[in-house]
C-alpha cells in the first residue's frame, strides 16, 4: 500500500455536532465506536481534528448509543472556535502520536487576579489533556470560565499534559483573540428548539448565501426575541454571533439616547454602517421597547425620530443575510408596529422560563467548575425550582457556593489574608447548600404574584375520599400525563369549583392537588383583585394568568370566588362585572390555558355568574359536605399524629361526639388541647419531657371550641342529625 493510500485510510470525514454537557472544556470528542475501530484506536487516544483555521489535538471517546448510526463528532464550542468551524460543518480526523509536554505557558485573554497561586489547580484541570501552540482553552474556577491561550509549548507540535509537566501562567495578556463574545450553544440550557429556529434564520444565510440566491428569495433581516427577563435572550444573541464567527455590535437602548438634537439617530446610523463594513455582523438591540415605542400622542419627538431611523437603517441594509438585526424585549406590545412587519423583524421567537429538563441543563452549565458533594441531585433541584428563569438558576448556583464557603471564613485570622490551598480543597457544595439557597433566591418571573409550592399531601387531608378521587381525575392526571389526553384527543378540564361550608377543607384540597401534581400554586384572595382605579382589576387578572402560563404547570386558586364573580346585573358597581368579563376571556379566550388549571372555592355558589360555570370553563362543581363519623376519625388522626397523647384517649370516641363538626373545628379542638397541656408544664424547667396531652385536656378543649363555634359536643343521640353526614360529597359535572 502506498503512503498516500495509507494516509487516506487513516482519515475520516465527520459532521460536527453539539457537545454533551459533561464533556465541555475537557478536551474530549465523541465519535461512533465503528469509527474508533476503523482507525485502530482505543477510547482515550489522541487524534487531530482539522478545520478551516487549524488543526488541534483531542482525545476520542465512544459516543452515546443513540449516536452510533450517525456520521458525527461531538465537540464543544471552544474546540469549534479553535478549528474555525461550527455545528453542521464537515471536519477531518486523523490518528496522531503525541508526546508528553515538558512545559507549557498559559497567557490570559483578559486581566485575571488570583488571591493565591493557581498553578497547582490549573495543572489538575489540564492533566491528560492534549494541547497545541496558540490553542485556546477554558478553565472553570468555581463557576467562572477563564479563557487562556497556549503561548509556549515544549516540545513543539502536539503534546499532552502529564504529572511532570511544568506549567507557567503568564501575566501578559494575549490579544490575538479579539472576539466580542465567547458564548457557545453549550452555554445555553433549555432552549434547544429556540436555538434551532435562530440557526435557520441567522446561521444559514450567513454561511450559505448562495442558497438564497439560487432560490431567488431574500434572506431574513431581523429576529425579535421576547420573553420575561432572565430567560436567555441576550445570551442567545451572543452565542449566535460567536458560532457564526460574526462581529457582534450591541446597542443598549437607553445608551444611545442623547439630549442633543440628531445625536441619537447618528449613533444608530454609525452602528449599522460599521456592521455593514465588517460583515458578517450581528446588530443586537437590547430593551428595544425603550428606544422604539409606539409612535403616538404620548411619545416625544426624539423617540419618533429614532423609530424612523431604525426603520430606515433596517430597510437600507445592502448586505442582506450578512447583517442580521436581533432585538430583545420583555414588552413586545410596546414596540412600534412598523418594526414588527415581515421584511424587518421577520420572525418573533418567544423565550419562556425553562421546563424541568431545561433547568437541569442550566444547573449543569453553571456548576461545571464546582466541587460538588455526591448527594447533589440535579433532578431533585430541577423539580423544586419551578418558575425559575435561567438567570435565577445561575444566581442559585452562586448562592449555594457562597453557603458552602461561609463556614470556612472562621478558619481565617482576618478576611485580608489569602485563603490557603488546604482550605480551598475542603470546600464542597452539598445538597443542603442548594436547599438553603432556594430559601433566598425566588423565581423572578413570579415576584409580582404570590406563588408557593405547597407541602400538603393527600394523606394530610382527612376524609373527603370521593372529592380527592375526582380532583385526581380532573387536575392531577392531566398535569402528570398530558400524553394520554393528547392520544385520546380529549381536552382536560380548565376549572373546578369547590363549594361547601367554611372549614370543610376546600383550600386544603387545592393545596394537596398542587403538591401531588408537582405544580406551582398561585393563591388569590378574591377581594385583593378589586381596585377603585379603572382597569386595574382586569389588569391584575390578566397578569395572574400570564404569570401562570409562564411557570406552568400551575394551579390558580381563587378563594372567596363569589366576591369577584357575582352575577352580572346584580352588582351596584361595574368593576365586578368587568372582572367577570376578563375571567371569561381568560378561561375561554384565543390563548389556550396549557397546563394551567383554575380551582375556585366559595360557600355561596348561588352568587357566581352562570356564564363562568358552564361547560368548557369551570367544568365541574365539587360540593364538600360536613364529614361523617369515619371522616372525622381520619381528620382527628391527621391532627394528632405528632401529639404525645395519653393512652386513655380514644380518637373514635371523639369522632362519635363531634357530629356536625367541620375539619376546621376539629383542628381547632386538637390545637386547643395541646395549648391546655402546655399551660400546665410551661413553668417547669424540663416541662417538654413531661408534656402529655391528657383526656381532661382534650375534653376541656372540645367543650371550649363547641361553645365558641355554636356546635354541640356530646353523644350522637343527644343531638338529632340533620343529614349533615353524607358519606360522599355531591359532585356535579357536565
Amino acid at each position: 500500500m502506498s503512503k498516500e493510500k495509507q494516509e487516506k485510510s487513516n482519515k475520516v470525514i465527520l459532521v460536527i455536532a453539539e457537545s454533551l454537557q459533561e464533556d465541555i472544556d475537557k478536551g474530549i470528542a465523541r465519535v461512533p465506536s465503528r469509527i474508533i475501530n476503523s482507525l485502530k484506536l482505543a477510547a482515550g487516544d489522541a487524534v487531530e481534528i482539522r478545520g478551516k483555521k487549524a488543526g488541534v489535538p483531542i482525545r476520542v471517546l465512544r459516543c452515546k448509543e443513540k449516536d452510533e448510526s450517525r456520521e458525527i463528532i461531538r465537540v464543544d464550542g471552544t474546540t469549534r472556535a479553535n478549528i474555525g468551524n461550527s455545528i453542521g460543518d464537515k471536519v477531518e480526523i486523523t490518528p496522531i502520536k503525541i508526546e508528553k509536554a515538558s512545559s507549557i505557558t498559559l497567557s490570559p485573554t483578559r486581566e485575571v487576579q488570583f488571591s493565591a497561586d493557581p498553578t497547582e489547580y490549573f495543572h489538575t484541570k489540564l492533566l491528560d489533556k492534549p494541547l497545541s501552540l496558540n490553542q485556546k482553552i477554558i478553565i472553570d474556577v468555581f463557576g467562572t470560565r477563564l479563557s487562556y491561550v497556549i503561548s509556549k509549548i515544549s516540545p513543539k507540535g502536539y503534546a499532552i499534559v502529564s504529572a511532570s509537566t511544568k506549567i507557567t501562567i503568564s501575566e501578559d495578556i494575549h490579544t490575538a483573540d479579539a472576539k466580542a463574545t465567547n458564548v457557545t450553544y453549550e452555554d445555553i440550557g433549555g432552549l434547544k428548539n429556540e436555538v434551532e429556529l435562530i440557526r435557520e434564520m441567522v446561521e444559514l444565510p450567513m454561511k450559505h448565501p448562495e442558497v438564497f440566491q439560487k432560490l431567488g428569495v431574500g434572506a431574513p433581516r431581523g429576529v425579535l426575541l421576547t420573553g420575561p427577563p432572565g430567560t436567555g435572550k441576550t445570551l442567545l444573541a451572543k452565542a449566535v454571533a460567536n458560532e457564526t464567527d460574526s462581529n457582534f455590535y450591541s446597542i443598549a437602548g437607553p445608551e444611545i439616547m442623547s439630549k442633543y438634537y440628531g445625536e441619537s439617530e447618528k449613533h444608530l446610523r454609525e452602528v449599522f454602517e460599521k456592521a455593514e463594513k465588517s460583515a458578517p455582523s450581528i446588530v443586537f438591540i437590547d430593551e428595544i421597547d425603550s428606544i422604539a415605542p409606539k409612535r403616538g400622542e404620548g411619545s416625544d419627538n426624539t423617540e419618533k425620530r429614532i423609530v424612523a431611523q431604525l426603520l430606515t437603517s433596517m430597510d437600507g441594509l445592502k448586505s442582506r443575510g450578512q447583517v442580521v438585526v436581533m432585538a430583545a424585549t420583555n414588552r413586545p406590545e410596546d414596540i412600534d408596529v412598523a418594526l414588527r412587519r415581515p421584511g424587518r423583524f421577520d420572525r418573533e421567537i418567544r423565550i419562556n422560563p425553562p421546563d424541568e429538563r431545561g433547568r437541569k441543563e442550566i444547573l449543569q452549565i453553571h456548576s461545571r467548575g464546582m466541587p460538588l458533594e455526591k448527594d447533589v441531585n440535579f433532578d431533585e433541584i430541577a423539580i423544586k425550582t419551578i418558575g425559575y428563569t435561567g438567570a435565577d438558576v445561575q444566581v442559585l448556583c452562586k448562592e449555594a457556593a457562597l453557603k458552602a464557603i461561609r463556614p470556612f471564613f472562621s478558619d481565617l485570622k482576618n478576611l485580608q489574608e489569602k485563603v490557603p490551598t488546604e482550605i480551598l480543597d475542603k470546600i464542597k457544595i452539598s445538597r443542603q447548600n442548594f436547599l438553603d439557597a432556594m430559601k433566598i433566591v425566588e423565581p423572578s418571573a413570579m415576584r409580582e404574584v404570590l406563588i408557593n409550592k405547597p407541602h400538603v399531601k393527600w394523606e394530610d387531608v382527612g376524609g373527603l375520599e370521593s372529592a380527592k378521587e375526582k380532583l385526581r381525575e380532573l387536575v392531577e392526571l392531566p398535569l402528570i400525563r398530558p400524553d394520554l389526553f393528547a392520544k385520546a384527543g380529549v381536552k382536560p378540564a380548565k376549572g373546578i369549583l369547590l363549594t361547601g361550608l367554611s372549614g370543610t377543607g376546600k383550600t386544603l384540597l387545592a393545596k394537596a392537588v398542587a403538591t401531588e401534581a408537582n405544580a406551582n400554586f398561585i393563591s388569590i384572595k378574591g377581594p385583593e383583585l378589586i381596585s377603585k382605579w379603572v382597569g386595574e382589576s382586569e389588569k391584575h387578572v390578566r397578569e395572574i394568568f400570564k404569570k401562570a402560563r409562564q411557570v406552568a404547570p400551575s394551579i390558580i386558586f381563587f378563594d372567596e370566588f363569589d366576591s369577584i364573580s357575582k352575577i352580572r346585573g346584580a352588582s351596584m358597581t361595574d368593576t365586578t362585572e368587568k372582572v367577570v368579563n376578563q375571567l371569561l376571556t381568560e378561561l375561554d379566550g384565543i390563548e389556550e390555558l396549557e397546563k394551567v388549571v383554575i380551582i375556585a372555592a366559595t360557600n355561596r355558589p348561588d352568587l357566581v355568574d352562570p356564564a363562568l360555570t358552564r361547560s368548557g370553563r369551570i367544568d365541574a362543581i365539587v360540593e364538600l359536605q360536613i364529614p361523617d363519623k369515619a371522616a372525622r376519625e381520619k381528620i382527628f388522626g391527621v391532627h394528632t399524629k405528632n401529639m404525645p397523647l395519653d393512652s386513655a384517649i380514644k380518637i373514635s370516641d371523639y369522632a362519635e361526639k363531634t357530629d356536625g363538626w367541620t375539619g376546621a373545628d376539629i383542628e381547632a379542638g386538637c390545637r386547643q388541647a395541646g395549648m391546655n397541656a402546655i399551660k400546665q408544664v410551661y413553668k417547669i424547667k424540663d416541662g417538654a419531657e413531661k408534656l402529655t396531652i391528657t383526656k381532661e385536656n382534650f375534653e376541656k378543649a372540645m367543650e371550649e371550641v363547641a361553645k365558641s363555634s355554636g356546635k354541640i359536643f356530646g353523644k350522637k343521640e343527644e343531638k338529632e342529625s340533620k343529614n349533615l353526614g353524607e358519606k360522599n360529597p355531591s359532585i356535579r359535572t357536565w
Side-chain angles (χ1 to χ4, degrees), residues 664-681:
D665 296 330
I666 295 169
E667 183 184 6
C670 295
R671 189 189 309 112
Q672 189 58 47
M675 288 301 301
N676 292 343
I678 291 168
K679 287 177 187 176
Q680 293 175 347
V681 299

Side-chain angles (χ1 to χ4, degrees), residues 232-394:
K233 301 184 293 293
T234 306
L235 197 69
L236 189 55
K238 288 181 178 179
V240 172
N242 183 45
E243 295 281 356
T244 54
D245 201 23
S246 305
N247 292 295
F248 188 74
Y249 297 93
S250 181
I251 302 171
E255 287 181 2
I256 69 164
M257 302 298 285
S258 175
K259 64 180 179 180
Y260 298 108
Y261 190 88
E263 281 296 309
S264 302
E265 303 95 291
K266 183 183 175 184
H267 291 163
L268 204 56
R269 281 196 307 273
E270 286 175 350
V271 171
F272 275 85
E273 286 169 6
K274 286 179 184 176
E276 286 219 76
K277 286 178 183 177
S278 58
S281 305
I282 289 175
V283 178
F284 178 67
I285 308 171
D286 207 1
E287 307 296 342
I288 190 172
D289 56 283
S290 64
I291 64 166
K294 289 179 179 177
R295 289 168 293 178
E297 294 179 2
S299 59
D300 60 29
N301 289 327
T302 305
E303 289 173 341
K304 291 178 182 177
R305 291 199 306 272
I306 290 174
V307 173
Q309 181 61 60
L310 189 56
L311 294 171
T312 305
S313 298
M314 290 186 74
D315 288 341
L317 286 173
K318 299 173 185 175
S319 306
R320 188 159 182 138
Q322 296 298 293
V323 179
V324 176
V325 183
M326 296 182 72
T329 179
N330 60 328
R331 302 184 62 125
E333 65 279 0
D334 292 342
I335 299 172
D336 193 273
V337 291
L339 283 167
R340 299 179 70 181
R341 74 155 175 82
R344 286 160 184 161
F345 287 112
D346 300 86
R347 182 172 289 180
E348 293 185 14
I349 300 174
R350 181 160 181 88
I351 302 179
N352 290 314
D355 57 11
E356 187 181 315
R357 185 177 176 183
R359 291 193 297 275
K360 184 183 176 181
E361 288 179 10
I362 298 167
L363 282 163
Q364 290 173 330
I365 290 167
H366 293 295
S367 61
R368 283 176 193 157
M370 291 183 176
L372 301 175
E373 293 278 10
K374 291 181 180 179
D375 64 349
V376 175
N377 185 346
F378 284 145
D379 288 308
E380 178 197 10
I381 298 168
I383 292 169
K384 292 179 181 290
T385 51
I386 289 178
Y388 280 55
T389 64
D392 295 332
V393 175
Q394 183 182 12

Side-chain angles (χ1 to χ4, degrees), residues 116 411-412 417-425:
D411 297 335
L412 302 176
E417 68 173 301
K418 292 181 179 180
V419 182
T421 308
E422 57 269 19
I423 291 180
L424 288 173
D425 292 339

Side-chain angles (χ1 to χ4, degrees), residues 41-71:
L41 296 169
D45 284 352
V47 298
E48 180 194 57
I49 176 169
R50 182 160 291 280
K52 295 175 183 177
K53 285 185 181 177
V56 296
I58 198 164
R59 291 189 296 123
V60 290
L61 293 178
R62 301 182 191 279
C63 66
K64 301 291 183 182
E65 190 176 345
K66 64 178 182 179
D67 292 333
E68 282 291 351
S69 60
R70 302 173 67 189
E71 298 286 325

Side-chain angles (χ1 to χ4, degrees), residues 205-229:
M206 283 188 172
K207 289 185 175 179
H208 305 288
E210 69 278 0
V211 174
F212 289 84
Q213 291 172 5
K214 181 74 175 176
L215 294 171
V217 295
R221 275 201 179 101
V223 181
L224 181 64
L225 304 176
T226 67

Side-chain angles (χ1 to χ4, degrees), residues 625-629 632 655-661 712 714-727:
Q625 300 284 351
I626 294 175
D628 59 9
K629 182 178 177 288
R632 291 197 299 274
E656 183 76 31
K657 293 179 180 179
T658 51
D659 186 39
W661 286 43
I712 294 176
K715 296 284 185 183
K716 190 174 180 180
E717 55 266 22
E718 295 173 11
K719 176 180 175 288
E720 187 66 30
S721 175
K722 295 181 179 179
N723 197 30
L724 295 171
E726 291 182 25
K727 191 172 181 180

